[in-house]
Structure formats: C-alpha cells, structure tokens
Amino acid sequence: MESKRVKVEEEADRISALPDAIIHHILSLLPSTKEAIQTGILSKRWQNQWPGVAVLIFDSTGMFPRSFHKFIENTLFLHDCCKIKKFHLQYYHRRKEDQFTSKILYATRKDVEDLKLSSLAQVYRLPKSLFNYASLVKLRTHNCIIMPKGNVNWGCLTALNMESCRFNNLALEHILCGSPLLKSLELRYCDPIDKLVIASKSMKRLVLLDLTIMNIEVIEISCPNLEKLSLQSMHIDDPKVFGQVIETVLFGCSLLESFELIDSCMFKQLVIASNSLKILVLRDLNDISHIEISCPKLEKLKLSGCLNIETAKLINLPTSLCATSDFYYDPEPESLDEKHESSNEKHESLIKDILRQLQNAKELKISRWFLEILSAIEMGGLFSQVLNIKCLTLNYPDINGHHSGIACVLRNAPMLEKLVIKLARHEQSYRYGDFLKLNAFVENHWKSNLIVFDCLVSHLRTIRITCYPKRDHNRKFVLNFVKFLLKNARVLEKMVVELKDHETAVPFQVSQELLSLPRCSQNASIELLYS
C-alpha cells in the first residue's frame, strides 16, 4: 500500500516539475477553456497555470445564458496573459449585442491573431472597430452580418472563413482590397449574393460552398496565384456563365494544383484542361453527359457520386496517376425494355473506354457499380484490356454477384503488386439490368483449379481485406477467396485481414480457419486485425 502511495506521489511530482511553457502548451490544446481550468485538480501547481495560457475557447453548450456570461466575465478578469493567440466564442443563446462585442474588444486589446465568432441563436453584426484591426491573422465567422461602411484594414489577415453570413459584393470588395496577404477564403452557406467578384493576387485557396448567385451576368474569379479551388453546390440559373468561369479559371491560373467540382454543374459537357493540375475531384454531376480531361501532371483523379456521363475522354494523363472511379448511375428500371437495353450498352461501352484510357495508371480504385457492369461484360465474353496498374482497390463489391468482375480485373492486371478489398457492412446492389440472373458464377467460384492470374505468379505481394464476419456469406467469401490467393500467390509477403463489427466467438473461429490455410509462398504472413 505504501509503495503505491509513493508511486502516485512520484507521478504527481513529475507533472508538477514540467516547465510553465510546456504546461501552457498542453492546456492550449484542450477543446475549451473550461476544461483547461478543470485541470487544476491534477496538482496544486496546475491550479494557477490556466490564466497564463494564450488560448481562450468559450462554448455555451450545456450552460445557461446567465451562468455562461458570468463564467466568461470571471475568466477574463483572472486571465493575465499579455497576448492572446486564439480567441473562440460560440454562443447558442440570445444575448445583448454589446455583451458579444465587449468580449471581442477584450481580445483585440490583447493582440489576438486567431478569432472565431459563432452566434447561433441570432445574427450578430461585426463591430466597426474590428474592420480596422490590423493584427488579425485568421477570422472565422458564423451567422454574422459583415458590412464594412468604408475601407478595411486587415493587413495581416491570411485566412477568412464566412459561414451562413450576410454580405454584399461591395463588402467583399472592401475586404479583399484591405487584405493584401489573404491566402485562403471560404464562403459557405451564405445568403444569396447579387454578384460575385473575387479578385486577389495573394489568394492560394478558394472554397465556395452552397452559394446562390442572383446576378448571373457577373461572376468573376481572378486569382492568378490560386493553387486550390473547390466549387460545391453552386446555384446559378445560367450554366453557360458558370462553365465560362471554370474555363477562365483553369486557363488563367497557371499554379492551380487542386480542383474540386461537386454538385455544381447544370451543363451537358465539361472540359478540364490544365498543365498544372495535380488533383481533380468530380462528384455528383448529374446533368453532365460528356467529360473531357487533359492534365499531363495529374496525380489524383476521382470520379465519384452520381455521374450520369455517357462518354469520357481522358487524354495526356501521366503513368503516375492514382485514379478513383467510384461513381454510379441513378437506379435503372428493372424491366429489360429496348430503352433499358440501350442504356446498358452505353454503360458497358463507357466502362470499357474508361479502363482503356486508365490502363497505364499506377493505382486504380473502382466501385461496386463499376464491378457490377464489368461482371455483366465478362459474362458476355472474356473482357481483354491489359491494365498496368500496381495497386488495385475494390470498394464494397457485392460478394454474391461480383465474382466475375473481380476475376476480370485481376486477370487483366499482370503487374499488380497490392490488392485492397473493402467489403460493405450491408449488401446493396445497384441492380444493373437483371444482373443477378446473368451471373452464372457460384459461391464455390474461387475453389476452381482452372483460374490462373499472371499477377499471382510474380508480382502480387500485399493483400488487405476488410470484412464483417458476423454475416455468414461475408465470412464464406473471405475464406474461399483468401484460400484461393494463398494457394496461388507465389511471391506474397503480407496479407492483412481486418474483421469489423465482430462478436467474441467469431474472430477466434475465423482466425483458426485463416491461419490453417496452406500457402504457396513461404514468405507469406497473415495478420488479423479486430475493430
């Protein structure tokens, strides 16, 4: 008993012996100032450390308005740090505007650099004095009115985030003119804007999310040093104007490296041409039927969500490309009428074209819808298209219906070195045509001795499978497939099987079965992970 008491005292002394600077740094990493104050119970020395922390974070969650206001007043009264690096205020209650403003003025008197204001119960108008506060480096506002009546002096501001805020184009113009060092601008869920003009020579990152532009004739983005652009859920009546904006940005921004276009297009054709672009994400573009991409320096390409494209032209893509084809179509009617059969043919042709154009990519990730159509193509006759990919990821395949699709990509990828399969928790099929009836492969497909893949002979070294063993069919597929791979992969070095959402008895049963399987490669090891 005495030894335990000595050990506790030694640990307490070790905490107390930490330098003030380290203690202050630890406290500054906590989610709120309230939690920082509560750390005083650790030791007597920590009781008076929080007033010297240069970070103040106030969140009214779970507190009554009066008690929250009193807590802030007491905290600011005892706080003795000469400078505040970060001041965050999140208020969920209705309050007097001067109560909010007094806290902001306190922060500015302490030379605050990072300011976050979130007024959730009612709209808050930023005070005039804040627009002339030149020491500000980061500003995040939520549910605020931002209307400077004159010039703005934010000479040190580098990052600005306005969410659910009210402002007009003149206000935005004053802000951009008064922020010569601004590198990052985010406008999210803001009220309808009469026109949108963003001109900045210093801007490197621009995010526009869920904006409604009222004046469709005035949309301009002029940022020659822009490196990252994200356009999401843009509401514009005339798609031609938006299309011209995209074309102008891609042509004028010679340093642009990352471009995201998400749920924003209403036009039929999209052309992405850039000599600098390295990351391109296109997601949920329901209205687009044709996509053309020409980016010789592209490193990551992601086509995801609902994309009702009929044709895709992918040119000038490098061999170092990591491509993700994780998109799907809207569910088709189950009846096999002429129109549906014609649609099926277009989908099959699209998948063939995409695989042909991505044959030299280094890494490929494909979705269940992609595999579903590929399986149907395989059933009509062996699909032959050499894929020089080194890494293949299969996202959420239908284990009862995609045997032929999985076999197809493995057979056509002779240089494959790494295989990743992520099985879904619940089975959901996009039901491409009458796919389940077309698939003639049975549960024992992987037990066949007639299947030979070139990648298993000399290249496939790493395999990772994520599954949910509580589902019997899930477990059977994994066992059969793993048995097939271990039996035929001659140079396999490591196989990782991650069991998710398991019961106590299941992992032991599965692990016994997996570890007892014969292995073709003497160097192959099996690693089981449980989560």
Side-chain angles (χ1 to χ4, degrees):
M1 188 69 180
E2 187 67 26
S3 62
K4 289 184 177 180
R5 183 180 302 170
V6 172
K7 186 176 180 181
V8 171
E9 290 178 355
E10 287 179 352
E11 291 179 353
D13 291 338
R14 205 175 294 174
I15 294 176
S16 300
L18 290 173
D20 289 352
I22 294 180
I23 295 177
H24 292 168
H25 178 69
I26 294 173
L27 295 178
S28 69
L29 299 176
L30 294 175
S32 70
T33 298
K34 183 179 180 181
E35 292 174 281
I37 296 174
Q38 290 173 343
T39 59
I41 63 174
L42 293 176
S43 69
K44 291 183 178 179
R45 183 161 181 267
W46 279 59
Q47 289 179 359
N48 299 317
Q49 289 295 326
W50 70 264
V53 178
V55 174
L56 292 175
I57 300 176
F58 300 104
D59 188 342
S60 66
T61 303
M63 299 182 68
F64 292 106
R66 182 175 296 179
S67 58
F68 179 64
H69 177 68
K70 187 175 181 180
F71 169 73
I72 296 179
E73 292 289 341
N74 292 336
T75 302
L76 298 184
F77 179 77
L78 296 173
H79 189 257
D80 59 6
C81 188
C82 60
K83 180 180 177 61
I84 297 179
K85 292 183 179 180
K86 183 187 295 185
F87 187 90
H88 292 182
L89 180 57
Q90 186 160 297
Y91 210 103
Y92 288 90
H93 311 294
R94 299 188 68 84
R95 64 330 162 241
K96 295 180 180 180
E97 195 165 274
D98 58 346
Q99 292 179 340
F100 216 72
T101 302
S102 63
K103 311 303 185 296
I104 297 173
L105 294 178
Y106 174 87
T108 56
R109 286 195 297 269
K110 291 293 186 79
D111 297 327
V112 64
E113 297 178 356
D114 185 339
L115 182 62
K116 180 181 178 181
L117 305 173
S118 183
S119 177
L120 300 176
Q122 65 190 82
V123 178
Y124 173 70
R125 180 182 291 271
L126 291 189
K128 297 178 182 179
S129 59
L130 189 62
F131 293 110
N132 290 311
Y133 177 64
S135 300
L136 203 57
V137 178
K138 293 182 180 180
L139 176 62
R140 282 168 283 182
T141 59
H142 186 193
N143 200 28
C144 295
I145 299 175
I146 304 175
M147 293 290 187
K149 293 185 178 180
N151 295 332
V152 175
N153 182 18
W154 285 342
C156 296
L157 192 69
T158 60
L160 175 62
N161 185 325
M162 296 189 289
E163 182 174 345
S164 301
C165 292
R166 300 178 186 177
F167 61 92
N168 54 30
N169 187 67
L170 183 60
L172 185 59
E173 182 181 345
H174 284 314
I175 291 172
L176 294 176
C177 290
S179 309
L181 302 181
L182 189 63
K183 294 181 179 180
S184 175
L185 174 63
E186 296 186 27
L187 305 179
R188 300 173 179 268
Y189 310 107
C190 294
D191 282 358
I193 304 169
D194 54 353
K195 58 182 179 179
L196 182 66
V197 178
I198 299 177
S200 173
K201 293 182 179 180
S202 61
M203 189 88 65
K204 292 187 176 182
R205 178 177 177 268
L206 177 61
V207 176
L208 304 179
L209 171 61
D210 199 5
L211 299 183
T212 300
I213 314 300
M214 304 300 290
N215 189 342
I216 60 175
E217 297 180 358
V218 183
I219 302 177
E220 181 182 341
I221 299 177
S222 178
C223 305
N225 293 311
L226 197 64
E227 296 178 359
K228 182 176 181 180
L229 175 62
S230 180
L231 305 176
Q232 305 179 32
S233 302
M234 300 288 286
H235 306 286
I236 302 173
D237 294 334
D238 191 346
K240 292 182 180 179
V241 175
F242 192 38
Q244 292 171 359
V245 171
I246 295 175
E247 183 178 352
T248 302
V249 171
L250 294 175
F251 179 77
C253 299
S254 59
L255 301 179
L256 190 65
E257 295 185 353
S258 175
F259 180 38
E260 292 181 345
L261 188 59
I262 301 173
D263 190 24
S264 297
C265 290
M266 298 160 283
F267 39 91
K268 295 297 182 183
Q269 296 187 359
L270 176 64
V271 178
I272 305 292
S274 172
N275 291 324
S276 61
L277 211 58
K278 293 182 179 179
I279 300 174
L280 176 60
V281 177
L282 304 177
R283 188 176 78 209
D284 292 326
L285 309 180
N286 300 347
D287 298 324
I288 290 182
S289 59
H290 173 75
I291 290 179
E292 184 173 332
I293 299 173
S294 176
C295 302
K297 294 184 180 179
L298 202 62
E299 297 176 359
K300 292 184 179 180
L301 170 63
K302 186 171 184 179
L303 306 176
S304 64
C306 183
L307 297 179
N308 291 330
I309 56 176
E310 298 178 0
T311 57
K313 188 177 181 181
L314 313 177
I315 58 177
N316 295 330
L317 299 181
T319 56
S320 59
L321 178 68
C322 297
T324 300
S325 183
D326 197 11
F327 68 94
Y328 62 91
Y329 273 65
D330 286 328
E332 298 283 358
E334 296 184 5
S335 58
L336 292 175
D337 54 17
E338 294 182 1
K339 181 178 179 181
H340 189 55
E341 290 178 353
S342 175
S343 179
N344 291 349
E345 293 176 0
K346 290 181 180 180
H347 296 171
E348 293 177 6
S349 176
L350 174 65
I351 295 303
K352 290 179 181 179
D353 285 343
I354 290 178
L355 281 179
R356 175 179 55 80
Q357 296 175 93
L358 294 178
Q359 62 177 331
N360 293 320
K362 179 181 69 174
E363 182 177 346
L364 181 62
K365 299 179 182 180
I366 56 180
S367 65
R368 58 185 298 126
W369 182 85
F370 199 102
L371 276 173
E372 194 166 295
I373 296 183
L374 195 58
S375 296
I377 296 174
E378 185 80 353
M379 293 307 303
L382 291 179
F383 173 68
S384 180
Q385 174 61 63
V386 177
L387 302 173
N388 296 317
I389 56 177
K390 300 292 183 65
C391 178
L392 173 65
T393 299
L394 306 179
N395 286 321
Y396 313 124
D398 184 343
I399 58 179
N400 288 327
H402 294 164
H403 298 289
S404 54
I406 296 173
C408 177
V409 288
L410 291 179
R411 189 186 70 251
N412 288 285
M415 309 295 289
L416 189 66
E417 297 177 358
K418 181 178 180 180
L419 173 64
V420 179
I421 298 181
K422 300 177 181 178
L423 298 178
R425 180 192 298 267
H426 304 293
E427 285 189 282
Q428 287 183 346
S429 176
Y430 295 113
R431 299 186 67 81
Y432 169 72
D434 202 3
F435 171 73
L436 295 178
K437 293 183 180 179
L438 291 173
N439 194 339
F441 285 80
V442 295
E443 184 181 300
N444 296 326
H445 173 70
W446 299 109
K447 295 181 180 180
S448 172
N449 294 321
L450 302 177
I451 305 175
V452 178
F453 300 138
D454 291 341
C455 63
L456 298 179
V457 177
S458 57
H459 289 90
L460 190 61
R461 289 179 170 81
T462 305
I463 299 172
R464 185 181 183 97
I465 300 175
T466 302
C467 68
Y468 295 84
K470 285 175 66 175
R471 304 181 68 88
D472 291 337
H473 56 274
N474 206 312
R475 185 162 67 251
K476 290 179 181 178
F477 168 81
V478 172
L479 291 174
N480 289 334
F481 188 56
V482 168
K483 184 176 182 180
F484 163 79
L485 293 172
L486 290 176
K487 181 181 177 182
N488 295 279
R490 300 180 184 179
V491 295
L492 183 66
E493 296 175 358
K494 185 177 182 180
M495 174 181 286
V496 179
V497 180
E498 183 178 4
L499 307 177
K500 286 182 168 287
D501 194 24
H502 56 77
E503 294 176 346
T504 306
V506 172
F508 179 77
Q509 179 184 352
V510 174
S511 61
Q512 291 298 309
E513 293 177 290
L514 290 177
L515 296 175
S516 63
L517 295 175
R519 309 171 195 181
C520 178
S521 172
Q522 297 180 351
N523 299 323
S525 65
I526 299 180
E527 181 179 339
L528 298 178
L529 302 178
Y530 306 111
S531 60

